[in-house]
Amino acid sequence: ATTFDEFTKLVVTKSRGGSGGPKLVFTPIQLNVNKRDITFANQLFINNEFVDASDTSRVLRTINPNDESVICSVQSATKGDVDRAVKAANDAFESGEWPLMNARDRGKLMFRLADLMEQHKEELATIESIDSGAVYTLAIKTHIDSKLSVCRSTRGSGAVYTLAIKTHIGMSIDTWRYFAGWCDKIQGSTIPINNARPNRNLSFTKKEPIGVCGIITPWNYPLMMVSWKMAACLAAGNTVVLKPAQVSPLTALKLAELSVYAGFPPGVINILPGTGSVCGQAIADHPLVRKLGFTGSTPIGQTIMKSCAESNMKRVSLELGGKSPLIIFNDADLDRAVRHAMGAVFFNKGENCIAAGRLFVEQSIHDQFVSRVLEETKKIKIGDPLDRSTSHGPQNHRAHLEKLVEYAQIGVKEGAKLVYGGAQVDRPGLFFTPTIFTAVTDDMYIAREESFGPIMIVSTFPDGDVDGVLRRANATEFGLASGVFTRDISKALYVTEKVNAGTCFVNCYNKTDVAAPFGGFKQSGFGKDLGQEALNEYLKTKTITIEY
């Protein structure tokens, strides 16, 4: 029974040419999951075709973290496959249809892809859920905040982070639409310069695409991280060779399929599942790749930066690790602080680059805060991410789960107080209990290192010691995000000025938006995703001076 909403979307899609377009011949993986049929490819995507890897014996086994069952085997790209994809991307950039296309028409293709993603949102959400453990929400919306109040009233404290799949899929769609709107608004400027008298001079700049861009994305938000980087890259007029996360490549391959139906020319988008050591390294080393965007760990980011320098001095932007401080003052709205602090730590099972890695709670409210958090944490429904009542799903893969168990053991050994959790859940699958540590001192491992999991690290600071807590918050090599809760606007603004992080949330957390630049300082990397600033990562400025 077609709804009016579905009908109107179909009319819009047809008006944008999204039906009856290019066909794609391949043999998909077909599954019936979540009471629906889903299909996706398991090959490499090069030049608008799904093709076999040069070595078909090399495969990646994708695992469903809910029960550790094998979803399928995905072919793994070799160095030769990377060369083939890069050359296809270079041909598309140099002499294909893409560089001849009007910027507005490029935007139409991106809008069309977003429309197709919207049509397939339930399928994308299901694939993302089985491939990464992301909690599925039936009513997948492209906008998150408008539904927060409803969800909070019906699902309690878990609502702040039960919207994970709305972020995974909804924000991905929003990202494509946002950058599609930028395609015909990229422009240079005229510059007054001294004239070579008696002649006159005119100087102006042009913003031009860089060329072939390599993109390497992480496993915590598989589709969203692909979208954050690829949408800006394509809006700027580049072509792309992308390596999705080795353990969660399936929604990227589905996106590749939809890009053909949207009408993207051959070679513009190339997606290569593979390992970091082979496929990722080959992209970083390739001389025809002129820019590389990476999201992942700081050690790998350092390796990539070195490879980019040694190969051909390719430009690089890095979004790396974090240990984001969240400061809660005693004048904060405690209900709000508890709710958002839980979201800051437990959202997406803690697999969140900007997660609050350390909470600083003012001494006079510490015990009350911890008591409230503990009470609400015990209510969290852990279970199958496809179950509509679940608010906390499994960790992405086994190696990560084992690291979380070890991380908690280190915390106990060093003398931190384990208030709750700290171990794997006693059930099949890769589930880790939401965990709370208190009495954490600055010298402890868990105070300094990122867990990338649902582990809340709580420390106290003396009442009124604003500068002291800021010194402790900044005493880290990371600088990705931060947060503060207080009713005192002067105190809040003082913290935003002094905290050394790329993002600072005031009386909220995890409030990212496609229009707001996102990126870190120090060893959390450099460069921006999202917002107008993200376009600059994929553009070069050419100065033209005329004498007349």
Side-chain angles (χ1 to χ4, degrees):
T2 304
T3 66
F4 183 73
D5 183 54
E6 291 170 333
F7 171 74
T8 55
K9 287 175 183 174
L10 180 62
V11 171
V12 170
T13 301
K14 281 187 172 290
S15 71
R16 290 177 173 171
S19 181
K23 304 299 180 184
L24 184 60
V25 178
F26 69 104
T27 303
I29 301 295
Q30 300 180 3
L31 301 173
N32 185 273
V33 183
N34 199 24
K35 298 180 180 180
R36 67 180 67 253
D37 293 325
I38 61 173
T39 63
F40 49 85
N42 66 336
Q43 297 170 282
L44 315 183
F45 183 74
I46 301 175
N47 218 25
N48 272 20
E49 296 180 332
F50 285 109
V51 297
D52 287 338
S54 56
D55 182 358
T56 56
S57 66
R58 300 167 63 94
V59 296
L60 309 172
R61 292 169 70 248
T62 59
I63 305 297
N64 184 338
N66 182 56
D67 57 10
E68 295 192 89
S69 62
V70 177
I71 302 170
C72 67
S73 293
V74 176
Q75 295 194 26
S76 182
T78 65
K79 183 178 179 180
D81 296 322
V82 171
D83 185 61
R84 183 167 39 143
V86 171
K87 287 178 178 176
N90 191 62
D91 288 345
F93 181 78
E94 295 287 351
S95 57
E97 180 184 350
W98 188 246
L100 303 177
M101 190 177 293
N102 292 326
R104 199 160 297 159
D105 293 332
R106 191 163 66 240
K108 288 179 180 178
L109 290 182
M110 294 177 64
F111 275 123
R112 196 178 300 159
L113 178 57
D115 290 342
L116 288 168
M117 293 169 70
E118 182 100 44
Q119 288 180 38
H120 289 263
K121 62 186 178 183
E122 286 86 2
E123 183 180 22
L124 286 166
T126 301
I127 296 170
E128 192 90 323
S129 185
I130 64 172
D131 199 27
S132 73
V135 172
Y136 181 94
T137 303
L138 179 61
I140 306 165
K141 303 294 181 183
T142 57
H143 298 285
I144 302 169
D145 293 320
S146 61
K147 298 299 176 183
L148 272 173
S149 59
V150 175
C151 290
R152 283 174 185 148
S153 65
T154 58
R155 302 185 70 172
S157 63
V160 175
Y161 46 91
T162 57
L163 301 178
I165 209 65
K166 293 187 178 70
T167 303
H168 284 241
I169 308 304
M171 195 173 188
S172 299
I173 296 169
D174 281 353
T175 301
W176 283 96
R177 287 182 174 146
Y178 174 80
F179 284 109
W182 268 110
C183 287
D184 61 353
K185 301 171 187 68
I186 297 171
Q187 55 196 23
S189 58
T190 56
I191 305 168
I193 64 171
N194 289 342
N195 293 313
R197 296 192 300 179
N199 292 341
R200 308 283 291 175
N201 291 96
L202 171 65
S203 188
F204 61 93
T205 61
K206 292 177 63 180
K207 297 288 188 178
E208 297 182 346
I210 295 171
V212 179
C213 296
I215 294 175
I216 301 174
T217 55
W219 45 259
N220 56 327
Y221 295 104
L223 182 62
M224 192 173 77
M225 291 294 98
V226 168
S227 299
W228 279 22
K229 289 184 174 356
M230 190 190 291
C233 176
L234 296 180
N238 301 286
T239 57
V240 64
V241 176
L242 179 138
K243 189 196 88 67
Q246 176 179 336
V247 293
S248 302
L250 299 183
T251 44
L253 292 170
K254 188 67 182 181
L255 182 70
E257 176 189 343
L258 297 179
S259 74
V260 176
Y261 303 148
F264 278 84
V268 174
I269 296 173
N270 304 273
I271 295 182
L272 305 179
T275 64
S277 59
V278 176
C279 180
Q281 189 64 53
I283 293 172
D285 290 339
H286 203 289
L288 291 178
V289 175
R290 294 295 174 184
K291 160 67 196 278
L292 195 142
F294 171 77
T295 296
S297 71
T298 296
I300 300 300
Q302 291 170 328
T303 299
I304 284 175
M305 192 173 177
K306 182 179 180 181
S307 297
C308 289
E310 292 178 342
S311 56
N312 60 344
M313 287 294 291
K314 57 175 63 69
R315 286 174 59 177
V316 60
S317 53
L318 304 170
E319 196 261 278
L320 308 175
K323 187 67 174 175
S324 301
L326 175 57
I327 303 171
I328 300 173
F329 289 103
N330 60 14
D331 64 347
D333 179 334
L334 195 58
D335 288 340
R336 185 179 185 88
V338 167
R339 186 172 68 244
H340 283 271
M342 291 180 64
V345 177
F346 299 142
F347 184 83
N348 199 44
K349 313 106 61 179
E351 296 169 353
N352 187 19
C353 55
I354 60 170
R358 191 172 181 194
L359 275 62
F360 295 93
V361 182
E362 203 156 10
Q363 184 69 53
S364 58
I365 62 167
H366 171 269
D367 292 350
Q368 185 182 3
F369 174 84
V370 172
S371 176
R372 295 275 292 277
V373 167
L374 176 60
E375 178 185 356
E376 295 301 320
T377 301
K378 290 178 178 179
K379 299 177 185 177
I380 293 174
K381 173 66 183 302
I382 301 172
D384 184 347
L386 294 175
D387 187 324
R388 303 306 187 267
S389 67
T390 294
S391 59
H392 189 92
Q395 306 307 137
N396 185 280
H397 53 280
R398 173 155 288 281
H400 181 53
L401 172 67
E402 291 173 353
K403 286 182 180 179
L404 293 179
V405 172
E406 181 184 9
Y407 186 95
Q409 290 171 346
I410 292 172
V412 172
K413 184 178 180 180
E414 287 189 327
K417 182 180 179 181
L418 179 61
V419 176
Y420 189 75
Q424 183 175 356
V425 180
D426 185 17
R427 57 166 291 162
L430 305 178
F431 295 88
F432 187 81
T433 307
T435 296
I436 303 168
F437 276 103
T438 62
V440 178
T441 57
D442 295 352
D443 60 315
M444 291 181 180
Y445 176 85
I446 63 173
R448 295 180 284 105
E449 297 297 328
E450 180 181 30
S451 72
F452 211 66
I455 302 178
M456 182 178 286
I457 308 298
V458 184
S459 300
T460 65
F461 65 96
D463 284 16
D465 190 10
V466 179
D467 288 323
V469 73
L470 280 168
R471 282 193 296 271
R472 294 170 67 192
N474 286 329
T476 172
E477 274 300 303
F478 299 111
L480 189 55
S482 59
V484 56
F485 279 81
T486 177
R487 287 189 173 96
D488 185 337
I489 188 62
S490 296
K491 189 187 297 181
L493 290 176
Y494 182 76
V495 170
T496 65
E497 288 179 7
K498 297 298 183 180
V499 73
N500 197 0
T503 295
C504 186
F505 300 105
V506 178
N507 294 329
C508 63
Y509 208 88
N510 285 328
K511 177 52 182 161
T512 55
D513 188 274
V514 295
F518 180 92
F521 302 156
K522 300 188 285 188
Q523 291 197 42
S524 288
F526 49 83
K528 297 295 182 184
D529 290 322
L530 303 180
Q532 182 180 1
E533 287 196 34
L535 293 168
N536 295 328
E537 303 295 331
Y538 298 96
L539 291 166
K540 58 187 180 185
T541 301
K542 178 180 289 183
T543 301
I544 299 168
T545 300
I546 303 169
E547 189 165 316
Y548 58 97

